[in-house]
Amino acid sequence: MSAAETKLTPMKLGSLTVKPPSHPTYDLKGIIKLALTEDAGNRGDVTCMAVIPTDMEVEAHFLAKEDGVVAGIALAEMVFHEVDPSLKVEWSQADGDYVCKGLQFGKVTGRAYSVVVAERVVLNFMQRMSGIATLTKAMADAARPACILETRKTAPGLRLVDKWAVLIGGGKNHRMGLFDMVMIKDNHISIAGGVTNAIRSVDMYLNQQNLKMEVEVETRTLDEVKEVLNYASQTETSVTRIMLDNMVVPLTNGDVDVSMLQEAVKLIDGKFETEASGNLTLETVHKIGQTGVTYISSGALTHSVRALDISLKIDTELALQVGRRTKRA
């Protein structure tokens, strides 16, 4: 049996391989409706209404046009069912699986009009999520034993979707937003008048509000690391993680100098979780991951994502023929 002929099995709506991260106010179904409304405008799909008979049914196949980690399968099914609950969706792969160029990995069957209306919204979500998952998987594998995190540098309105794709790719989520973790950044420190003042203010606030949550403080120099450690040695603090920002120094030959990062990790000596940030690439992440840091965060996972090429085709034979001609199948 060829890869393109792999047996398809129905996937129950809501039966998720990787569940989306939790958020107290994010409306995933609302985002799907917004995307569909954005496409439909005030008239709907005028091309479909002109061309497709209302009672015609089709079978359309998902086709991977390059290698990568597929993500967005569960979300795609949600989109199809929002457009038309009668559509039947089947998959041979699950979120997080690796797909090869030319693989048919799923199909949707039902009203032609509904399939085509949903097509672009489904693919927009899947291609972006698969691109994020593919890069995350490569980064996470190279970073071990450190864990890869994304940041809040997500597409506006797609925060949960982007972070879901990171989980599917094998990464872990940083804070979801401004509400679920205290993160003392450089501007907070400048406004507070120094690292110690900023941490002291956070400790007081959390105590007054009777709040318990993770607290991270950004440090840019070894002196700032020492200041955090000195404060913590004298006062009970809520700090749980120290960010080591831009302590990886790029070299002219493309390599990086991690000696400052290593020194910071040694100073902290396991008293707090550590997070390396800045000057991170797929080529440098392995070296950074060997320094002993707990986490490595990368904004590029979501802000500079390259979509994975996936299509949905009714005439798969012609699509594969064209794909082979253009070396995309």
Side-chain angles (χ1 to χ4, degrees):
M1 183 181 290
S2 68
E5 296 170 328
T6 303
K7 180 177 172 57
L8 294 165
T9 55
M11 176 181 176
K12 294 179 181 178
L13 186 62
S15 178
L16 307 177
T17 304
V18 179
K19 292 183 179 180
S22 61
H23 190 288
T25 61
Y26 196 94
D27 182 3
L28 186 56
K29 193 170 184 178
I31 291 298
I32 290 170
K33 288 181 176 180
L34 182 64
L36 291 168
T37 302
E38 180 181 56
D39 231 9
N42 63 345
R43 282 199 175 92
D45 189 334
V46 291
T47 312
C48 279
M49 288 187 283
V51 173
I52 301 176
T54 56
D55 58 349
M56 177 178 283
E57 295 204 351
V58 295
E59 180 177 286
H61 292 260
F62 284 94
L63 178 65
K65 299 173 87 171
E66 61 181 317
D67 299 348
V69 176
V70 68
I73 281 176
L75 184 56
E77 192 163 345
M78 293 171 69
V79 175
F80 281 126
H81 282 261
E82 181 64 33
V83 171
D84 184 347
S86 72
L87 292 175
K88 184 181 179 183
V89 192
E90 299 175 83
W91 307 98
S92 63
Q93 306 294 314
D95 280 325
D97 285 348
Y98 193 84
V99 295
C100 298
K101 182 169 68 173
L103 177 69
Q104 292 179 42
F105 62 91
K107 70 178 180 181
V108 56
T109 309
R111 290 181 62 218
Y113 178 91
S114 300
V115 171
V116 177
V117 165
E119 173 191 357
R120 179 43 51 194
V121 171
V122 164
L123 290 176
N124 282 348
F125 278 127
M126 287 190 71
Q127 288 179 322
R128 178 176 177 83
M129 290 182 71
S130 296
I132 292 171
T134 298
L135 179 56
T136 300
K137 171 66 174 171
M139 286 279 201
D141 286 348
R144 289 191 183 95
C147 296
I148 282 289
L149 307 172
E150 83 297 270
T151 69
R152 284 168 54 239
K153 296 175 183 177
T154 53
L158 294 180
R159 173 69 55 80
L160 186 142
V161 174
D162 284 358
K163 286 178 172 282
W164 189 4
V166 168
L167 293 180
I168 291 169
K172 293 189 176 182
N173 290 149
H174 209 296
R175 59 178 177 161
M176 181 58 68
L178 300 174
F179 61 90
D180 58 333
M181 178 182 185
V182 175
M183 190 164 177
I184 308 170
K185 296 275 289 177
D186 50 0
N187 285 336
H188 301 112
I189 291 167
S190 296
I191 293 167
V195 171
T196 298
N197 287 346
I199 299 174
R200 184 180 292 117
S201 294
V202 167
D203 285 340
M204 289 176 60
Y205 176 80
L206 293 179
N207 184 57
Q208 290 167 358
Q209 299 296 318
N210 196 27
L211 285 174
K212 290 190 179 297
M213 59 175 59
E214 291 184 343
V215 176
E216 179 170 9
V217 57
E218 177 180 345
T219 60
R220 297 156 290 181
T221 66
L222 293 177
D223 283 342
E224 286 187 333
V225 172
K226 291 174 183 176
E227 190 174 346
V228 175
L229 295 173
N230 182 58
Y231 174 83
S233 70
Q234 300 178 38
T235 309
E236 186 176 350
T237 180
S238 52
V239 171
T240 55
R241 187 184 308 172
I242 300 176
M243 176 186 285
L244 307 171
D245 189 50
N246 286 307
M247 293 190 187
V248 175
V249 181
L251 302 175
T252 55
N253 64 357
D255 198 1
V256 288
D257 179 359
V258 296
S259 57
M260 183 179 181
L261 181 63
Q262 286 175 315
E263 188 172 349
V265 171
K266 186 176 180 181
L267 281 170
I268 295 166
D269 192 29
K271 296 181 180 70
F272 299 96
E273 294 178 338
T274 52
E275 178 185 327
S277 177
N279 295 310
L280 172 70
T281 66
L282 190 53
E283 290 71 35
T284 62
V285 68
H286 178 71
K287 190 171 185 178
I288 297 168
Q290 301 305 301
T291 61
V293 292
T294 317
Y295 300 106
I296 303 172
S297 57
S298 171
L301 291 179
T302 54
H303 74 56
S304 298
V305 60
R306 186 183 72 79
L308 192 73
D309 198 355
I310 298 169
S311 63
L312 181 64
K313 296 297 182 183
I314 294 169
D315 189 342
T316 53
E317 286 304 315
L318 180 57
L320 286 168
Q321 180 183 328
V322 173
R324 285 189 285 268
R325 186 173 71 218
T326 56
K327 303 191 185 309
R328 295 169 69 197

